[in-house]
Amino acid sequence: MKKQLLLLATCALFIVSCQTKKDANTTLEDKAGPTEKPITKADSIVNLAIEAHGGALYGKADYSFTFRDKKYRFKNDGNNYEYSCEVQKGDSLVKDVLINNDFSRFINSKKLNLSQEEAAKYGESLNSVIYFATLPYKLQDASVNKEFIEETIIKGMRYDVIKVTFGQNGGGKDFDDEYHYWINKATHKIDYLAYNYQVNGGGARFRAAFNTRVVDGVTFQDYINYEAPLKTPLKDLAALYEQGKLKEASKILTDNVVRN
């Protein structure tokens, strides 16, 4: 009987000891909290670029500009935003508005009933124009994957090359597109960018910035847009540009930039 009592007491002590250790470990884990994602070299380079182009001013930015005869406006308020585009078509004023991914179209102030597909298409188009006009602001979004590729020299200037891809969640319709950015090591500004795309048979483009100007603290740039042969690796486009082997396709002009 004494042996049975001793055995029961030993088991009870063992259970209490295990539970105490478990509680202690749980407390330590709770105090430690989740591990923060480390800052990569690509993150650091892009963060410097964002700072050089406007930094914290983007968070409350309210600007208008003209692009291809349409008047655009973007208003940022932290994580909230409102983008709009107006164009006169005959007697009709067409206005598109995108508020935190919620798209609406108005004709002469009357809201249209759009299908989900139409709203997604028009909203993506509006978002794309603002995205390029405000580079590199959106490169800090959670859906953006950044990778440092290399250092290189273009026309005697040194650059960091950053590859950007997007996660499917939050990356938009064309989340599988790939971008390269050539960030000037001296100014930390984007002088060149390239991207490939999958729609309409696919292709690649290379853009060279010009007419860089600062409007109330935020940098705006125009670009010469070059065509590249299908399936050309993006990392090769800068060399082809220097060799004069890329054909100019268009100019990307952001005109009449005004802070509201």
Side-chain angles (χ1 to χ4, degrees), residues 52-54 58 63-67 132-135 189-191 208-224 252-258:
H53 280 258
Y58 282 117
Y63 286 82
S64 300
F65 62 90
T66 303
F67 175 65
F132 281 111
T134 59
L135 279 172
K189 293 192 175 184
I190 296 174
D191 289 349
F210 73 101
N211 190 27
T212 300
R213 66 271 193 208
V214 179
V215 180
D216 289 333
V218 175
T219 297
F220 291 85
Q221 302 187 132
D222 297 328
Y223 295 90
I224 300 176
I252 310 299
L253 305 177
T254 304
D255 296 320
N256 306 317
V257 178
V258 176

PDB file of all heavy atoms in Angstrom, residues 52-54 58 63-67 132-135 189-191 208-224 252-258:
ATOM      1  N   ALA A  52      14.206  59.603 -51.663  1.00  0.00           N
ATOM      2  CA  ALA A  52      14.744  60.563 -52.621  1.00  0.00           C
ATOM      3  C   ALA A  52      13.661  61.154 -53.527  1.00  0.00           C
ATOM      4  O   ALA A  52      13.741  62.316 -53.937  1.00  0.00           O
ATOM      5  CB  ALA A  52      15.821  59.897 -53.476  1.00  0.00           C
ATOM      6  N   HIS A  53      12.627  60.367 -53.823  1.00  0.00           N
ATOM      7  CA  HIS A  53      11.560  60.824 -54.723  1.00  0.00           C
ATOM      8  C   HIS A  53      10.463  61.609 -54.011  1.00  0.00           C
ATOM      9  O   HIS A  53       9.659  62.266 -54.673  1.00  0.00           O
ATOM     10  CB  HIS A  53      10.940  59.627 -55.443  1.00  0.00           C
ATOM     11  CG  HIS A  53      11.733  59.124 -56.604  1.00  0.00           C
ATOM     12  ND1 HIS A  53      11.389  59.405 -57.906  1.00  0.00           N
ATOM     13  CD2 HIS A  53      12.860  58.364 -56.658  1.00  0.00           C
ATOM     14  CE1 HIS A  53      12.271  58.826 -58.729  1.00  0.00           C
ATOM     15  NE2 HIS A  53      13.165  58.185 -57.982  1.00  0.00           N
ATOM     16  N   GLY A  54      10.396  61.520 -52.692  1.00  0.00           N
ATOM     17  CA  GLY A  54       9.330  62.246 -51.989  1.00  0.00           C
ATOM     18  C   GLY A  54       9.130  61.798 -50.563  1.00  0.00           C
ATOM     19  O   GLY A  54       8.631  62.554 -49.733  1.00  0.00           O
ATOM     20  N   TYR A  58       4.579  61.521 -49.709  1.00  0.00           N
ATOM     21  CA  TYR A  58       3.610  60.707 -50.445  1.00  0.00           C
ATOM     22  C   TYR A  58       2.389  60.371 -49.591  1.00  0.00           C
ATOM     23  O   TYR A  58       1.280  60.207 -50.104  1.00  0.00           O
ATOM     24  CB  TYR A  58       4.247  59.395 -50.919  1.00  0.00           C
ATOM     25  CG  TYR A  58       5.129  59.517 -52.134  1.00  0.00           C
ATOM     26  CD1 TYR A  58       6.485  59.217 -52.069  1.00  0.00           C
ATOM     27  CD2 TYR A  58       4.600  59.900 -53.361  1.00  0.00           C
ATOM     28  CE1 TYR A  58       7.300  59.301 -53.181  1.00  0.00           C
ATOM     29  CE2 TYR A  58       5.409  59.986 -54.489  1.00  0.00           C
ATOM     30  CZ  TYR A  58       6.757  59.685 -54.389  1.00  0.00           C
ATOM     31  OH  TYR A  58       7.563  59.776 -55.499  1.00  0.00           O
ATOM     32  N   TYR A  63      -2.095  65.612 -55.797  1.00  0.00           N
ATOM     33  CA  TYR A  63      -1.582  66.214 -57.027  1.00  0.00           C
ATOM     34  C   TYR A  63      -2.505  65.921 -58.206  1.00  0.00           C
ATOM     35  O   TYR A  63      -3.199  64.895 -58.229  1.00  0.00           O
ATOM     36  CB  TYR A  63      -0.195  65.655 -57.365  1.00  0.00           C
ATOM     37  CG  TYR A  63       0.926  66.172 -56.503  1.00  0.00           C
ATOM     38  CD1 TYR A  63       1.170  65.617 -55.240  1.00  0.00           C
ATOM     39  CD2 TYR A  63       1.757  67.201 -56.936  1.00  0.00           C
ATOM     40  CE1 TYR A  63       2.196  66.082 -54.439  1.00  0.00           C
ATOM     41  CE2 TYR A  63       2.798  67.667 -56.148  1.00  0.00           C
ATOM     42  CZ  TYR A  63       3.017  67.110 -54.901  1.00  0.00           C
ATOM     43  OH  TYR A  63       4.034  67.579 -54.119  1.00  0.00           O
ATOM     44  N   SER A  64      -2.459  66.825 -59.174  1.00  0.00           N
ATOM     45  CA  SER A  64      -3.146  66.630 -60.455  1.00  0.00           C
ATOM     46  C   SER A  64      -2.125  66.709 -61.578  1.00  0.00           C
ATOM     47  O   SER A  64      -1.105  67.401 -61.454  1.00  0.00           O
ATOM     48  CB  SER A  64      -4.223  67.706 -60.672  1.00  0.00           C
ATOM     49  OG  SER A  64      -5.201  67.662 -59.659  1.00  0.00           O
ATOM     50  N   PHE A  65      -2.397  66.007 -62.681  1.00  0.00           N
ATOM     51  CA  PHE A  65      -1.533  66.087 -63.858  1.00  0.00           C
ATOM     52  C   PHE A  65      -2.318  65.652 -65.084  1.00  0.00           C
ATOM     53  O   PHE A  65      -3.408  65.070 -64.977  1.00  0.00           O
ATOM     54  CB  PHE A  65      -0.275  65.226 -63.686  1.00  0.00           C
ATOM     55  CG  PHE A  65      -0.538  63.746 -63.527  1.00  0.00           C
ATOM     56  CD1 PHE A  65      -0.604  62.902 -64.628  1.00  0.00           C
ATOM     57  CD2 PHE A  65      -0.712  63.200 -62.265  1.00  0.00           C
ATOM     58  CE1 PHE A  65      -0.843  61.545 -64.482  1.00  0.00           C
ATOM     59  CE2 PHE A  65      -0.949  61.837 -62.099  1.00  0.00           C
ATOM     60  CZ  PHE A  65      -1.014  61.012 -63.221  1.00  0.00           C
ATOM     61  N   THR A  66      -1.777  65.956 -66.245  1.00  0.00           N
ATOM     62  CA  THR A  66      -2.399  65.569 -67.507  1.00  0.00           C
ATOM     63  C   THR A  66      -1.564  64.490 -68.175  1.00  0.00           C
ATOM     64  O   THR A  66      -0.340  64.601 -68.246  1.00  0.00           O
ATOM     65  CB  THR A  66      -2.521  66.772 -68.458  1.00  0.00           C
ATOM     66  OG1 THR A  66      -3.262  67.805 -67.806  1.00  0.00           O
ATOM     67  CG2 THR A  66      -3.242  66.384 -69.745  1.00  0.00           C
ATOM     68  N   PHE A  67      -2.243  63.453 -68.634  1.00  0.00           N
ATOM     69  CA  PHE A  67      -1.573  62.370 -69.367  1.00  0.00           C
ATOM     70  C   PHE A  67      -2.475  61.952 -70.521  1.00  0.00           C
ATOM     71  O   PHE A  67      -3.608  61.529 -70.309  1.00  0.00           O
ATOM     72  CB  PHE A  67      -1.292  61.184 -68.435  1.00  0.00           C
ATOM     73  CG  PHE A  67      -0.709  59.980 -69.134  1.00  0.00           C
ATOM     74  CD1 PHE A  67       0.540  60.042 -69.720  1.00  0.00           C
ATOM     75  CD2 PHE A  67      -1.419  58.787 -69.193  1.00  0.00           C
ATOM     76  CE1 PHE A  67       1.082  58.931 -70.369  1.00  0.00           C
ATOM     77  CE2 PHE A  67      -0.887  57.678 -69.823  1.00  0.00           C
ATOM     78  CZ  PHE A  67       0.372  57.754 -70.418  1.00  0.00           C
ATOM     79  N   PHE A 132       2.685  54.427 -62.177  1.00  0.00           N
ATOM     80  CA  PHE A 132       3.906  54.860 -62.860  1.00  0.00           C
ATOM     81  C   PHE A 132       4.241  56.314 -62.544  1.00  0.00           C
ATOM     82  O   PHE A 132       5.413  56.677 -62.422  1.00  0.00           O
ATOM     83  CB  PHE A 132       3.779  54.659 -64.366  1.00  0.00           C
ATOM     84  CG  PHE A 132       3.996  53.240 -64.804  1.00  0.00           C
ATOM     85  CD1 PHE A 132       2.948  52.472 -65.300  1.00  0.00           C
ATOM     86  CD2 PHE A 132       5.246  52.653 -64.727  1.00  0.00           C
ATOM     87  CE1 PHE A 132       3.144  51.162 -65.692  1.00  0.00           C
ATOM     88  CE2 PHE A 132       5.464  51.336 -65.115  1.00  0.00           C
ATOM     89  CZ  PHE A 132       4.405  50.589 -65.609  1.00  0.00           C
ATOM     90  N   ALA A 133       3.228  57.153 -62.401  1.00  0.00           N
ATOM     91  CA  ALA A 133       3.468  58.572 -62.132  1.00  0.00           C
ATOM     92  C   ALA A 133       4.069  58.791 -60.751  1.00  0.00           C
ATOM     93  O   ALA A 133       4.768  59.794 -60.530  1.00  0.00           O
ATOM     94  CB  ALA A 133       2.168  59.361 -62.260  1.00  0.00           C
ATOM     95  N   THR A 134       3.808  57.874 -59.823  1.00  0.00           N
ATOM     96  CA  THR A 134       4.269  58.053 -58.445  1.00  0.00           C
ATOM     97  C   THR A 134       5.390  57.088 -58.058  1.00  0.00           C
ATOM     98  O   THR A 134       5.692  56.930 -56.867  1.00  0.00           O
ATOM     99  CB  THR A 134       3.104  57.899 -57.452  1.00  0.00           C
ATOM    100  OG1 THR A 134       2.517  56.592 -57.603  1.00  0.00           O
ATOM    101  CG2 THR A 134       2.048  58.956 -57.682  1.00  0.00           C
ATOM    102  N   LEU A 135       6.010  56.440 -59.053  1.00  0.00           N
ATOM    103  CA  LEU A 135       7.148  55.574 -58.725  1.00  0.00           C
ATOM    104  C   LEU A 135       8.199  56.368 -57.952  1.00  0.00           C
ATOM    105  O   LEU A 135       8.442  57.535 -58.256  1.00  0.00           O
ATOM    106  CB  LEU A 135       7.769  55.018 -60.009  1.00  0.00           C
ATOM    107  CG  LEU A 135       7.094  53.811 -60.641  1.00  0.00           C
ATOM    108  CD1 LEU A 135       7.705  53.506 -62.002  1.00  0.00           C
ATOM    109  CD2 LEU A 135       7.204  52.589 -59.730  1.00  0.00           C
ATOM    110  N   LYS A 189      17.687  57.951 -57.275  1.00  0.00           N
ATOM    111  CA  LYS A 189      16.468  58.062 -58.073  1.00  0.00           C
ATOM    112  C   LYS A 189      16.466  57.027 -59.199  1.00  0.00           C
ATOM    113  O   LYS A 189      17.506  56.546 -59.630  1.00  0.00           O
ATOM    114  CB  LYS A 189      16.320  59.479 -58.637  1.00  0.00           C
ATOM    115  CG  LYS A 189      16.069  60.513 -57.551  1.00  0.00           C
ATOM    116  CD  LYS A 189      15.630  61.851 -58.095  1.00  0.00           C
ATOM    117  CE  LYS A 189      15.286  62.805 -56.956  1.00  0.00           C
ATOM    118  NZ  LYS A 189      14.765  64.103 -57.439  1.00  0.00           N
ATOM    119  N   ILE A 190      15.253  56.701 -59.656  1.00  0.00           N
ATOM    120  CA  ILE A 190      15.100  55.726 -60.736  1.00  0.00           C
ATOM    121  C   ILE A 190      15.352  56.424 -62.075  1.00  0.00           C
ATOM    122  O   ILE A 190      14.584  57.298 -62.478  1.00  0.00           O
ATOM    123  CB  ILE A 190      13.693  55.100 -60.717  1.00  0.00           C
ATOM    124  CG1 ILE A 190      13.488  54.297 -59.442  1.00  0.00           C
ATOM    125  CG2 ILE A 190      13.476  54.222 -61.939  1.00  0.00           C
ATOM    126  CD1 ILE A 190      12.080  53.771 -59.269  1.00  0.00           C
ATOM    127  N   ASP A 191      16.415  56.032 -62.756  1.00  0.00           N
ATOM    128  CA  ASP A 191      16.728  56.606 -64.069  1.00  0.00           C
ATOM    129  C   ASP A 191      16.207  55.740 -65.212  1.00  0.00           C
ATOM    130  O   ASP A 191      15.924  56.251 -66.296  1.00  0.00           O
ATOM    131  CB  ASP A 191      18.231  56.794 -64.228  1.00  0.00           C
ATOM    132  CG  ASP A 191      18.780  57.925 -63.364  1.00  0.00           C
ATOM    133  OD1 ASP A 191      17.966  58.690 -62.800  1.00  0.00           O
ATOM    134  OD2 ASP A 191      20.016  58.033 -63.241  1.00  0.00           O
ATOM    135  N   ALA A 208      13.536  55.118 -70.262  1.00  0.00           N
ATOM    136  CA  ALA A 208      14.598  55.999 -69.801  1.00  0.00           C
ATOM    137  C   ALA A 208      13.971  57.314 -69.346  1.00  0.00           C
ATOM    138  O   ALA A 208      13.237  57.957 -70.096  1.00  0.00           O
ATOM    139  CB  ALA A 208      15.601  56.253 -70.924  1.00  0.00           C
ATOM    140  N   ALA A 209      14.268  57.721 -68.107  1.00  0.00           N
ATOM    141  CA  ALA A 209      13.669  58.925 -67.540  1.00  0.00           C
ATOM    142  C   ALA A 209      14.319  60.186 -68.104  1.00  0.00           C
ATOM    143  O   ALA A 209      15.510  60.217 -68.396  1.00  0.00           O
ATOM    144  CB  ALA A 209      13.803  58.910 -66.026  1.00  0.00           C
ATOM    145  N   PHE A 210      13.502  61.233 -68.270  1.00  0.00           N
ATOM    146  CA  PHE A 210      14.002  62.552 -68.619  1.00  0.00           C
ATOM    147  C   PHE A 210      13.037  63.587 -68.055  1.00  0.00           C
ATOM    148  O   PHE A 210      11.982  63.243 -67.525  1.00  0.00           O
ATOM    149  CB  PHE A 210      14.177  62.707 -70.134  1.00  0.00           C
ATOM    150  CG  PHE A 210      12.895  62.840 -70.914  1.00  0.00           C
ATOM    151  CD1 PHE A 210      12.455  64.073 -71.361  1.00  0.00           C
ATOM    152  CD2 PHE A 210      12.113  61.720 -71.214  1.00  0.00           C
ATOM    153  CE1 PHE A 210      11.274  64.208 -72.070  1.00  0.00           C
ATOM    154  CE2 PHE A 210      10.935  61.844 -71.928  1.00  0.00           C
ATOM    155  CZ  PHE A 210      10.503  63.104 -72.359  1.00  0.00           C
ATOM    156  N   ASN A 211      13.411  64.858 -68.163  1.00  0.00           N
ATOM    157  CA  ASN A 211      12.586  65.952 -67.630  1.00  0.00           C
ATOM    158  C   ASN A 211      12.217  65.703 -66.167  1.00  0.00           C
ATOM    159  O   ASN A 211      11.073  65.872 -65.747  1.00  0.00           O
ATOM    160  CB  ASN A 211      11.318  66.132 -68.472  1.00  0.00           C
ATOM    161  CG  ASN A 211      10.554  67.406 -68.101  1.00  0.00           C
ATOM    162  OD1 ASN A 211      11.149  68.375 -67.631  1.00  0.00           O
ATOM    163  ND2 ASN A 211       9.252  67.403 -68.305  1.00  0.00           N
ATOM    164  N   THR A 212      13.209  65.298 -65.379  1.00  0.00           N
ATOM    165  CA  THR A 212      12.989  65.084 -63.951  1.00  0.00           C
ATOM    166  C   THR A 212      12.836  66.431 -63.246  1.00  0.00           C
ATOM    167  O   THR A 212      13.668  67.315 -63.408  1.00  0.00           O
ATOM    168  CB  THR A 212      14.170  64.307 -63.346  1.00  0.00           C
ATOM    169  OG1 THR A 212      14.279  63.035 -64.001  1.00  0.00           O
ATOM    170  CG2 THR A 212      13.972  64.093 -61.850  1.00  0.00           C
ATOM    171  N   ARG A 213      11.768  66.591 -62.484  1.00  0.00           N
ATOM    172  CA  ARG A 213      11.561  67.838 -61.748  1.00  0.00           C
ATOM    173  C   ARG A 213      10.883  67.531 -60.423  1.00  0.00           C
ATOM    174  O   ARG A 213      10.212  66.497 -60.277  1.00  0.00           O
ATOM    175  CB  ARG A 213      10.743  68.857 -62.550  1.00  0.00           C
ATOM    176  CG  ARG A 213       9.307  68.479 -62.825  1.00  0.00           C
ATOM    177  CD  ARG A 213       9.148  67.700 -64.105  1.00  0.00           C
ATOM    178  NE  ARG A 213       7.751  67.606 -64.526  1.00  0.00           N
ATOM    179  CZ  ARG A 213       7.287  66.582 -65.254  1.00  0.00           C
ATOM    180  NH1 ARG A 213       8.069  65.588 -65.605  1.00  0.00           N
ATOM    181  NH2 ARG A 213       6.022  66.584 -65.626  1.00  0.00           N
ATOM    182  N   VAL A 214      11.066  68.451 -59.483  1.00  0.00           N
ATOM    183  CA  VAL A 214      10.513  68.300 -58.146  1.00  0.00           C
ATOM    184  C   VAL A 214       9.426  69.346 -57.948  1.00  0.00           C
ATOM    185  O   VAL A 214       9.671  70.544 -58.107  1.00  0.00           O
ATOM    186  CB  VAL A 214      11.610  68.447 -57.074  1.00  0.00           C
ATOM    187  CG1 VAL A 214      11.001  68.320 -55.679  1.00  0.00           C
ATOM    188  CG2 VAL A 214      12.695  67.397 -57.269  1.00  0.00           C
ATOM    189  N   VAL A 215       8.218  68.875 -57.618  1.00  0.00           N
ATOM    190  CA  VAL A 215       7.077  69.763 -57.409  1.00  0.00           C
ATOM    191  C   VAL A 215       6.675  69.687 -55.936  1.00  0.00           C
ATOM    192  O   VAL A 215       6.143  68.678 -55.482  1.00  0.00           O
ATOM    193  CB  VAL A 215       5.888  69.376 -58.315  1.00  0.00           C
ATOM    194  CG1 VAL A 215       4.714  70.329 -58.083  1.00  0.00           C
ATOM    195  CG2 VAL A 215       6.300  69.361 -59.782  1.00  0.00           C
ATOM    196  N   ASP A 216       6.987  70.743 -55.210  1.00  0.00           N
ATOM    197  CA  ASP A 216       6.682  70.796 -53.769  1.00  0.00           C
ATOM    198  C   ASP A 216       7.163  69.544 -53.039  1.00  0.00           C
ATOM    199  O   ASP A 216       6.439  68.951 -52.228  1.00  0.00           O
ATOM    200  CB  ASP A 216       5.184  71.000 -53.542  1.00  0.00           C
ATOM    201  CG  ASP A 216       4.731  72.402 -53.926  1.00  0.00           C
ATOM    202  OD1 ASP A 216       5.552  73.329 -53.863  1.00  0.00           O
ATOM    203  OD2 ASP A 216       3.545  72.567 -54.299  1.00  0.00           O
ATOM    204  N   GLY A 217       8.384  69.129 -53.353  1.00  0.00           N
ATOM    205  CA  GLY A 217       9.021  68.043 -52.619  1.00  0.00           C
ATOM    206  C   GLY A 217       8.882  66.659 -53.224  1.00  0.00           C
ATOM    207  O   GLY A 217       9.571  65.730 -52.793  1.00  0.00           O
ATOM    208  N   VAL A 218       7.998  66.484 -54.207  1.00  0.00           N
ATOM    209  CA  VAL A 218       7.778  65.169 -54.833  1.00  0.00           C
ATOM    210  C   VAL A 218       8.320  65.182 -56.261  1.00  0.00           C
ATOM    211  O   VAL A 218       8.054  66.116 -57.021  1.00  0.00           O
ATOM    212  CB  VAL A 218       6.286  64.787 -54.827  1.00  0.00           C
ATOM    213  CG1 VAL A 218       6.052  63.491 -55.592  1.00  0.00           C
ATOM    214  CG2 VAL A 218       5.781  64.645 -53.392  1.00  0.00           C
ATOM    215  N   THR A 219       9.077  64.146 -56.617  1.00  0.00           N
ATOM    216  CA  THR A 219       9.700  64.049 -57.935  1.00  0.00           C
ATOM    217  C   THR A 219       8.735  63.476 -58.962  1.00  0.00           C
ATOM    218  O   THR A 219       8.065  62.462 -58.713  1.00  0.00           O
ATOM    219  CB  THR A 219      10.958  63.167 -57.865  1.00  0.00           C
ATOM    220  OG1 THR A 219      11.913  63.789 -57.006  1.00  0.00           O
ATOM    221  CG2 THR A 219      11.575  62.968 -59.246  1.00  0.00           C
ATOM    222  N   PHE A 220       8.686  64.109 -60.122  1.00  0.00           N
ATOM    223  CA  PHE A 220       7.940  63.604 -61.269  1.00  0.00           C
ATOM    224  C   PHE A 220       8.904  63.489 -62.448  1.00  0.00           C
ATOM    225  O   PHE A 220       9.802  64.324 -62.606  1.00  0.00           O
ATOM    226  CB  PHE A 220       6.771  64.527 -61.624  1.00  0.00           C
ATOM    227  CG  PHE A 220       5.666  64.522 -60.600  1.00  0.00           C
ATOM    228  CD1 PHE A 220       5.737  65.341 -59.483  1.00  0.00           C
ATOM    229  CD2 PHE A 220       4.568  63.688 -60.744  1.00  0.00           C
ATOM    230  CE1 PHE A 220       4.732  65.341 -58.523  1.00  0.00           C
ATOM    231  CE2 PHE A 220       3.558  63.676 -59.797  1.00  0.00           C
ATOM    232  CZ  PHE A 220       3.637  64.505 -58.686  1.00  0.00           C
ATOM    233  N   GLN A 221       8.706  62.461 -63.273  1.00  0.00           N
ATOM    234  CA  GLN A 221       9.589  62.224 -64.403  1.00  0.00           C
ATOM    235  C   GLN A 221       8.782  61.838 -65.635  1.00  0.00           C
ATOM    236  O   GLN A 221       7.713  61.228 -65.526  1.00  0.00           O
ATOM    237  CB  GLN A 221      10.588  61.098 -64.091  1.00  0.00           C
ATOM    238  CG  GLN A 221      11.449  61.368 -62.881  1.00  0.00           C
ATOM    239  CD  GLN A 221      12.543  60.330 -62.673  1.00  0.00           C
ATOM    240  OE1 GLN A 221      13.682  60.663 -62.466  1.00  0.00           O
ATOM    241  NE2 GLN A 221      12.191  59.058 -62.717  1.00  0.00           N
ATOM    242  N   ASP A 222       9.304  62.182 -66.810  1.00  0.00           N
ATOM    243  CA  ASP A 222       8.786  61.664 -68.066  1.00  0.00           C
ATOM    244  C   ASP A 222       9.712  60.541 -68.521  1.00  0.00           C
ATOM    245  O   ASP A 222      10.843  60.412 -68.028  1.00  0.00           O
ATOM    246  CB  ASP A 222       8.719  62.774 -69.118  1.00  0.00           C
ATOM    247  CG  ASP A 222       7.765  63.898 -68.723  1.00  0.00           C
ATOM    248  OD1 ASP A 222       6.766  63.602 -68.043  1.00  0.00           O
ATOM    249  OD2 ASP A 222       8.025  65.052 -69.087  1.00  0.00           O
ATOM    250  N   TYR A 223       9.228  59.723 -69.464  1.00  0.00           N
ATOM    251  CA  TYR A 223      10.021  58.584 -69.910  1.00  0.00           C
ATOM    252  C   TYR A 223       9.939  58.428 -71.428  1.00  0.00           C
ATOM    253  O   TYR A 223       8.888  58.670 -72.028  1.00  0.00           O
ATOM    254  CB  TYR A 223       9.523  57.275 -69.274  1.00  0.00           C
ATOM    255  CG  TYR A 223       9.685  57.185 -67.781  1.00  0.00           C
ATOM    256  CD1 TYR A 223       8.678  57.638 -66.931  1.00  0.00           C
ATOM    257  CD2 TYR A 223      10.837  56.660 -67.216  1.00  0.00           C
ATOM    258  CE1 TYR A 223       8.819  57.569 -65.553  1.00  0.00           C
ATOM    259  CE2 TYR A 223      10.985  56.584 -65.840  1.00  0.00           C
ATOM    260  CZ  TYR A 223       9.980  57.034 -65.013  1.00  0.00           C
ATOM    261  OH  TYR A 223      10.117  56.965 -63.651  1.00  0.00           O
ATOM    262  N   ILE A 224      11.064  58.015 -72.019  1.00  0.00           N
ATOM    263  CA  ILE A 224      11.042  57.521 -73.384  1.00  0.00           C
ATOM    264  C   ILE A 224      10.855  56.010 -73.301  1.00  0.00           C
ATOM    265  O   ILE A 224      11.597  55.316 -72.587  1.00  0.00           O
ATOM    266  CB  ILE A 224      12.345  57.857 -74.137  1.00  0.00           C
ATOM    267  CG1 ILE A 224      12.539  59.377 -74.187  1.00  0.00           C
ATOM    268  CG2 ILE A 224      12.300  57.279 -75.552  1.00  0.00           C
ATOM    269  CD1 ILE A 224      13.852  59.800 -74.824  1.00  0.00           C
ATOM    270  N   ILE A 252       6.236  58.857 -72.549  1.00  0.00           N
ATOM    271  CA  ILE A 252       5.318  58.880 -71.419  1.00  0.00           C
ATOM    272  C   ILE A 252       5.466  60.247 -70.764  1.00  0.00           C
ATOM    273  O   ILE A 252       6.434  60.502 -70.030  1.00  0.00           O
ATOM    274  CB  ILE A 252       5.630  57.756 -70.409  1.00  0.00           C
ATOM    275  CG1 ILE A 252       5.763  56.400 -71.125  1.00  0.00           C
ATOM    276  CG2 ILE A 252       4.574  57.696 -69.323  1.00  0.00           C
ATOM    277  CD1 ILE A 252       4.526  55.949 -71.837  1.00  0.00           C
ATOM    278  N   LEU A 253       4.525  61.149 -71.034  1.00  0.00           N
ATOM    279  CA  LEU A 253       4.631  62.536 -70.598  1.00  0.00           C
ATOM    280  C   LEU A 253       3.593  62.842 -69.521  1.00  0.00           C
ATOM    281  O   LEU A 253       2.384  62.702 -69.760  1.00  0.00           O
ATOM    282  CB  LEU A 253       4.448  63.483 -71.783  1.00  0.00           C
ATOM    283  CG  LEU A 253       5.380  63.259 -72.987  1.00  0.00           C
ATOM    284  CD1 LEU A 253       5.031  64.230 -74.101  1.00  0.00           C
ATOM    285  CD2 LEU A 253       6.838  63.393 -72.566  1.00  0.00           C
ATOM    286  N   THR A 254       4.074  63.270 -68.376  1.00  0.00           N
ATOM    287  CA  THR A 254       3.206  63.690 -67.280  1.00  0.00           C
ATOM    288  C   THR A 254       3.241  65.216 -67.249  1.00  0.00           C
ATOM    289  O   THR A 254       4.193  65.819 -66.740  1.00  0.00           O
ATOM    290  CB  THR A 254       3.698  63.102 -65.944  1.00  0.00           C
ATOM    291  OG1 THR A 254       3.776  61.681 -66.066  1.00  0.00           O
ATOM    292  CG2 THR A 254       2.740  63.436 -64.811  1.00  0.00           C
ATOM    293  N   ASP A 255       2.213  65.847 -67.808  1.00  0.00           N
ATOM    294  CA  ASP A 255       2.201  67.296 -67.990  1.00  0.00           C
ATOM    295  C   ASP A 255       1.369  68.005 -66.920  1.00  0.00           C
ATOM    296  O   ASP A 255       0.536  67.382 -66.256  1.00  0.00           O
ATOM    297  CB  ASP A 255       1.626  67.661 -69.368  1.00  0.00           C
ATOM    298  CG  ASP A 255       2.490  67.142 -70.514  1.00  0.00           C
ATOM    299  OD1 ASP A 255       3.722  67.212 -70.390  1.00  0.00           O
ATOM    300  OD2 ASP A 255       1.922  66.664 -71.520  1.00  0.00           O
ATOM    301  N   ASN A 256       1.612  69.320 -66.806  1.00  0.00           N
ATOM    302  CA  ASN A 256       0.781  70.201 -65.955  1.00  0.00           C
ATOM    303  C   ASN A 256       0.637  69.667 -64.540  1.00  0.00           C
ATOM    304  O   ASN A 256      -0.473  69.633 -63.973  1.00  0.00           O
ATOM    305  CB  ASN A 256      -0.610  70.374 -66.577  1.00  0.00           C
ATOM    306  CG  ASN A 256      -0.556  70.855 -68.012  1.00  0.00           C
ATOM    307  OD1 ASN A 256       0.221  71.746 -68.351  1.00  0.00           O
ATOM    308  ND2 ASN A 256      -1.368  70.262 -68.887  1.00  0.00           N
ATOM    309  N   VAL A 257       1.750  69.283 -63.948  1.00  0.00           N
ATOM    310  CA  VAL A 257       1.710  68.752 -62.584  1.00  0.00           C
ATOM    311  C   VAL A 257       1.455  69.897 -61.606  1.00  0.00           C
ATOM    312  O   VAL A 257       2.160  70.905 -61.609  1.00  0.00           O
ATOM    313  CB  VAL A 257       3.023  68.041 -62.220  1.00  0.00           C
ATOM    314  CG1 VAL A 257       2.978  67.548 -60.778  1.00  0.00           C
ATOM    315  CG2 VAL A 257       3.273  66.883 -63.184  1.00  0.00           C
ATOM    316  N   VAL A 258       0.429  69.726 -60.766  1.00  0.00           N
ATOM    317  CA  VAL A 258       0.043  70.769 -59.812  1.00  0.00           C
ATOM    318  C   VAL A 258      -0.265  70.104 -58.469  1.00  0.00           C
ATOM    319  O   VAL A 258      -0.944  69.074 -58.404  1.00  0.00           O
ATOM    320  CB  VAL A 258      -1.209  71.531 -60.274  1.00  0.00           C
ATOM    321  CG1 VAL A 258      -1.655  72.539 -59.218  1.00  0.00           C
ATOM    322  CG2 VAL A 258      -0.948  72.238 -61.605  1.00  0.00           C
TER     323      VAL A 258
END
